[in-house]
Amino acid sequence: DQQVKQNSPSLSVQEGRISILNCDYTNSMFDYFLWYKKYPAEGPTFLISISSIKDKNEDGRFTVFLNKSAKHLSLHIVPSQPGDSAVYFCAASARKSGGSNYKLTFGKGTLLTVNP
Amino acid sequence: DVKVTQSSRYLVKRTGEKVFLECVQDMDHENMFWYRQDPGLGLRLIYFSYDVKMKEKGDIPEGYSVSREKKERFSLILESASTNQTSMYLCASSLSTSGRAGDTQYFGPGTRLTVL
């Protein structure tokens, strides 16, 4: 059962425009969400995160929006640049009561292509 | 700066061979993880460790084992490599903390393993 879903395997946008990557989750215990970016033949790199107590978090060109009632989050990249072309993974975690949490649940990823 | 290294970027092995993949982190992180990434399947957790000599199965542990003798080092072992274990293997680490910053995992560059 896929608890974190990225329904679009790929997305293509023009340089300078907005890229919107979407992610849905089913587990209501998830309360912390992360986005990772991955270039071919490299490991994923952490981009941005958001806690469920917020509905928006911004870092430069990257903004993550969280809609808890819809169990949906999105990553906005404005303006998009050719160097943003990569696979983007959404991930989620649930806080264990009384201790640290270890695991992230990842979506299958969305390949973003930014055309010059 | 956060640093996770993996012993090999590319590896070619024969069916039936015993394969060792090594991962080292220099951030004094308690938690370490092994994933494999396959096209269309995203990142799947094989094993993780939350302390020296401690390990837990992830989602796809069959055919793999792990070893964590020192805090900074986490090894993935393929006891008898098979062609369906051809994949990109990714190691990650994270800090145990009561804050959510500990949920962020930092990845190594990956090992592309081909089993012939």
Side-chain angles (χ1 to χ4, degrees), chain B residues 2 5 7 11-12 14 19 29 32 41-42 48 57 73-74 77 79 86 92 95 105:
Chain B
V2 167
T5 56
S7 51
L11 209 52
V12 179
R14 297 211 173 271
V19 182
H29 283 175
M32 296 188 75
L41 296 178
F48 65 101
K57 293 180 180 179
R73 189 178 296 269
F74 193 33
I77 303 150
E79 296 289 343
T86 292
L95 186 65
Q105 293 180 18

mmCIF file of all heavy atoms in Angstrom, chain B residues 2 5 7 11-12 14 19 29 32 41-42 48 57 73-74 77 79 86 92 95 105:
data_model
loop_
_atom_site.group_PDB
_atom_site.id
_atom_site.type_symbol
_atom_site.label_atom_id
_atom_site.label_comp_id
_atom_site.label_asym_id
_atom_site.label_seq_id
_atom_site.Cartn_x
_atom_site.Cartn_y
_atom_site.Cartn_z
ATOM 1 N N VAL B 2 27.807 18.145 6.032
ATOM 2 C CA VAL B 2 27.380 16.757 6.148
ATOM 3 C C VAL B 2 28.053 15.902 5.091
ATOM 4 O O VAL B 2 28.110 16.275 3.928
ATOM 5 C CB VAL B 2 25.849 16.690 5.985
ATOM 6 C CG1 VAL B 2 25.390 15.286 5.781
ATOM 7 C CG2 VAL B 2 25.179 17.344 7.170
ATOM 8 N N THR B 5 29.801 8.901 2.663
ATOM 9 C CA THR B 5 30.541 8.345 1.533
ATOM 10 C C THR B 5 30.225 6.863 1.391
ATOM 11 O O THR B 5 29.936 6.168 2.366
ATOM 12 C CB THR B 5 32.058 8.533 1.709
ATOM 13 O OG1 THR B 5 32.454 7.936 2.954
ATOM 14 C CG2 THR B 5 32.425 10.002 1.741
ATOM 15 N N SER B 7 31.643 3.228 -0.583
ATOM 16 C CA SER B 7 32.949 2.701 -0.974
ATOM 17 C C SER B 7 33.167 2.664 -2.482
ATOM 18 O O SER B 7 34.282 2.845 -2.952
ATOM 19 C CB SER B 7 33.139 1.297 -0.399
ATOM 20 O OG SER B 7 32.023 0.482 -0.704
ATOM 21 N N LEU B 11 29.950 -0.954 -9.449
ATOM 22 C CA LEU B 11 30.422 -2.281 -9.072
ATOM 23 C C LEU B 11 29.774 -3.299 -9.997
ATOM 24 O O LEU B 11 28.569 -3.214 -10.263
ATOM 25 C CB LEU B 11 30.000 -2.550 -7.621
ATOM 26 C CG LEU B 11 30.804 -3.462 -6.711
ATOM 27 C CD1 LEU B 11 32.273 -3.062 -6.687
ATOM 28 C CD2 LEU B 11 30.222 -3.425 -5.309
ATOM 29 N N VAL B 12 30.573 -4.256 -10.483
ATOM 30 C CA VAL B 12 30.045 -5.335 -11.311
ATOM 31 C C VAL B 12 30.425 -6.650 -10.647
ATOM 32 O O VAL B 12 31.607 -6.895 -10.374
ATOM 33 C CB VAL B 12 30.603 -5.281 -12.753
ATOM 34 C CG1 VAL B 12 30.031 -6.441 -13.569
ATOM 35 C CG2 VAL B 12 30.270 -3.950 -13.407
ATOM 36 N N ARG B 14 29.345 -11.091 -10.167
ATOM 37 C CA ARG B 14 28.722 -12.250 -10.810
ATOM 38 C C ARG B 14 27.689 -12.881 -9.878
ATOM 39 O O ARG B 14 27.801 -12.792 -8.650
ATOM 40 C CB ARG B 14 29.792 -13.266 -11.187
ATOM 41 C CG ARG B 14 30.778 -12.732 -12.214
ATOM 42 C CD ARG B 14 31.318 -13.830 -13.116
ATOM 43 N NE ARG B 14 32.137 -13.264 -14.183
ATOM 44 C CZ ARG B 14 31.650 -12.887 -15.352
ATOM 45 N NH1 ARG B 14 30.368 -12.991 -15.615
ATOM 46 N NH2 ARG B 14 32.439 -12.386 -16.280
ATOM 47 N N VAL B 19 28.718 -9.896 -1.795
ATOM 48 C CA VAL B 19 29.016 -8.499 -2.111
ATOM 49 C C VAL B 19 28.902 -7.657 -0.842
ATOM 50 O O VAL B 19 27.935 -7.799 -0.067
ATOM 51 C CB VAL B 19 28.040 -7.952 -3.169
ATOM 52 C CG1 VAL B 19 28.399 -6.503 -3.526
ATOM 53 C CG2 VAL B 19 28.058 -8.814 -4.424
ATOM 54 N N HIS B 29 26.111 10.721 13.413
ATOM 55 C CA HIS B 29 24.691 10.396 13.394
ATOM 56 C C HIS B 29 24.450 9.011 13.978
ATOM 57 O O HIS B 29 25.216 8.084 13.736
ATOM 58 C CB HIS B 29 24.159 10.437 11.963
ATOM 59 C CG HIS B 29 23.940 11.826 11.457
ATOM 60 N ND1 HIS B 29 23.560 12.088 10.152
ATOM 61 C CD2 HIS B 29 24.035 13.027 12.070
ATOM 62 C CE1 HIS B 29 23.435 13.383 9.995
ATOM 63 N NE2 HIS B 29 23.721 13.981 11.141
ATOM 64 N N MET B 32 21.360 5.075 10.597
ATOM 65 C CA MET B 32 21.864 4.870 9.241
ATOM 66 C C MET B 32 20.920 3.935 8.491
ATOM 67 O O MET B 32 20.266 3.086 9.099
ATOM 68 C CB MET B 32 23.289 4.316 9.253
ATOM 69 C CG MET B 32 24.291 5.304 9.870
ATOM 70 S SD MET B 32 26.006 4.811 9.713
ATOM 71 C CE MET B 32 26.333 5.151 7.978
ATOM 72 N N LEU B 41 9.992 2.708 -9.131
ATOM 73 C CA LEU B 41 9.699 2.166 -7.792
ATOM 74 C C LEU B 41 10.158 3.095 -6.676
ATOM 75 O O LEU B 41 9.888 2.825 -5.501
ATOM 76 C CB LEU B 41 10.364 0.797 -7.627
ATOM 77 C CG LEU B 41 9.869 -0.298 -8.563
ATOM 78 C CD1 LEU B 41 10.637 -1.594 -8.327
ATOM 79 C CD2 LEU B 41 8.374 -0.533 -8.394
ATOM 80 N N GLY B 42 10.841 4.158 -7.008
ATOM 81 C CA GLY B 42 11.271 5.100 -5.992
ATOM 82 C C GLY B 42 12.359 4.527 -5.099
ATOM 83 O O GLY B 42 13.125 3.651 -5.507
ATOM 84 N N PHE B 48 17.751 -0.614 8.339
ATOM 85 C CA PHE B 48 18.273 0.563 9.001
ATOM 86 C C PHE B 48 18.804 0.189 10.382
ATOM 87 O O PHE B 48 18.526 -0.902 10.901
ATOM 88 C CB PHE B 48 17.241 1.690 9.060
ATOM 89 C CG PHE B 48 16.024 1.396 9.890
ATOM 90 C CD1 PHE B 48 15.896 1.899 11.173
ATOM 91 C CD2 PHE B 48 14.976 0.656 9.362
ATOM 92 C CE1 PHE B 48 14.759 1.654 11.924
ATOM 93 C CE2 PHE B 48 13.825 0.403 10.108
ATOM 94 C CZ PHE B 48 13.724 0.901 11.389
ATOM 95 N N LYS B 57 14.769 -4.501 10.076
ATOM 96 C CA LYS B 57 14.401 -4.729 8.688
ATOM 97 C C LYS B 57 13.556 -3.574 8.174
ATOM 98 O O LYS B 57 12.714 -3.036 8.887
ATOM 99 C CB LYS B 57 13.627 -6.037 8.557
ATOM 100 C CG LYS B 57 14.457 -7.268 8.854
ATOM 101 C CD LYS B 57 13.619 -8.521 8.710
ATOM 102 C CE LYS B 57 14.473 -9.754 9.010
ATOM 103 N NZ LYS B 57 13.675 -11.010 8.897
ATOM 104 N N ARG B 73 29.988 3.605 10.570
ATOM 105 C CA ARG B 73 30.061 2.700 9.421
ATOM 106 C C ARG B 73 28.883 1.728 9.397
ATOM 107 O O ARG B 73 28.571 1.093 10.415
ATOM 108 C CB ARG B 73 31.377 1.922 9.486
ATOM 109 C CG ARG B 73 31.701 1.094 8.266
ATOM 110 C CD ARG B 73 33.060 0.424 8.471
ATOM 111 N NE ARG B 73 34.134 1.392 8.578
ATOM 112 C CZ ARG B 73 34.849 1.856 7.565
ATOM 113 N NH1 ARG B 73 34.610 1.422 6.336
ATOM 114 N NH2 ARG B 73 35.806 2.729 7.768
ATOM 115 N N PHE B 74 28.267 1.586 8.231
ATOM 116 C CA PHE B 74 27.106 0.701 8.076
ATOM 117 C C PHE B 74 27.302 -0.059 6.770
ATOM 118 O O PHE B 74 27.412 0.544 5.698
ATOM 119 C CB PHE B 74 25.826 1.537 8.040
ATOM 120 C CG PHE B 74 24.550 0.767 8.179
ATOM 121 C CD1 PHE B 74 24.467 -0.384 8.949
ATOM 122 C CD2 PHE B 74 23.388 1.216 7.551
ATOM 123 C CE1 PHE B 74 23.268 -1.073 9.089
ATOM 124 C CE2 PHE B 74 22.178 0.530 7.683
ATOM 125 C CZ PHE B 74 22.122 -0.606 8.456
ATOM 126 N N ILE B 77 25.290 -6.254 2.993
ATOM 127 C CA ILE B 77 25.876 -7.482 2.481
ATOM 128 C C ILE B 77 24.840 -8.231 1.646
ATOM 129 O O ILE B 77 23.711 -8.454 2.097
ATOM 130 C CB ILE B 77 26.354 -8.377 3.647
ATOM 131 C CG1 ILE B 77 27.365 -7.600 4.509
ATOM 132 C CG2 ILE B 77 26.984 -9.668 3.113
ATOM 133 C CD1 ILE B 77 27.364 -7.999 5.950
ATOM 134 N N GLU B 79 24.438 -11.737 0.402
ATOM 135 C CA GLU B 79 25.061 -13.024 0.711
ATOM 136 C C GLU B 79 25.365 -13.829 -0.558
ATOM 137 O O GLU B 79 26.404 -14.464 -0.651
ATOM 138 C CB GLU B 79 24.145 -13.830 1.633
ATOM 139 C CG GLU B 79 23.925 -13.177 3.002
ATOM 140 C CD GLU B 79 25.171 -13.230 3.887
ATOM 141 O OE1 GLU B 79 26.088 -14.032 3.593
ATOM 142 O OE2 GLU B 79 25.245 -12.456 4.858
ATOM 143 N N THR B 86 20.483 -6.166 -9.153
ATOM 144 C CA THR B 86 21.063 -5.073 -9.930
ATOM 145 C C THR B 86 20.246 -3.822 -9.672
ATOM 146 O O THR B 86 19.030 -3.806 -9.883
ATOM 147 C CB THR B 86 21.051 -5.409 -11.435
ATOM 148 O OG1 THR B 86 21.969 -6.477 -11.684
ATOM 149 C CG2 THR B 86 21.451 -4.196 -12.266
ATOM 150 N N ALA B 92 22.128 6.379 3.757
ATOM 151 C CA ALA B 92 21.760 7.674 4.340
ATOM 152 C C ALA B 92 21.983 7.623 5.846
ATOM 153 O O ALA B 92 22.071 6.539 6.442
ATOM 154 C CB ALA B 92 20.298 8.015 4.033
ATOM 155 N N LEU B 95 20.260 12.180 12.423
ATOM 156 C CA LEU B 95 20.575 12.406 13.828
ATOM 157 C C LEU B 95 19.377 12.022 14.698
ATOM 158 O O LEU B 95 18.245 12.338 14.340
ATOM 159 C CB LEU B 95 20.897 13.891 13.999
ATOM 160 C CG LEU B 95 21.401 14.387 15.342
ATOM 161 C CD1 LEU B 95 22.755 13.779 15.649
ATOM 162 C CD2 LEU B 95 21.489 15.905 15.317
ATOM 163 N N GLN B 105 17.219 12.987 6.444
ATOM 164 C CA GLN B 105 18.269 12.026 6.130
ATOM 165 C C GLN B 105 19.201 12.618 5.083
ATOM 166 O O GLN B 105 18.759 13.292 4.151
ATOM 167 C CB GLN B 105 17.658 10.720 5.623
ATOM 168 C CG GLN B 105 16.865 9.995 6.702
ATOM 169 C CD GLN B 105 16.257 8.698 6.218
ATOM 170 O OE1 GLN B 105 16.661 8.148 5.192
ATOM 171 N NE2 GLN B 105 15.300 8.186 6.968
#
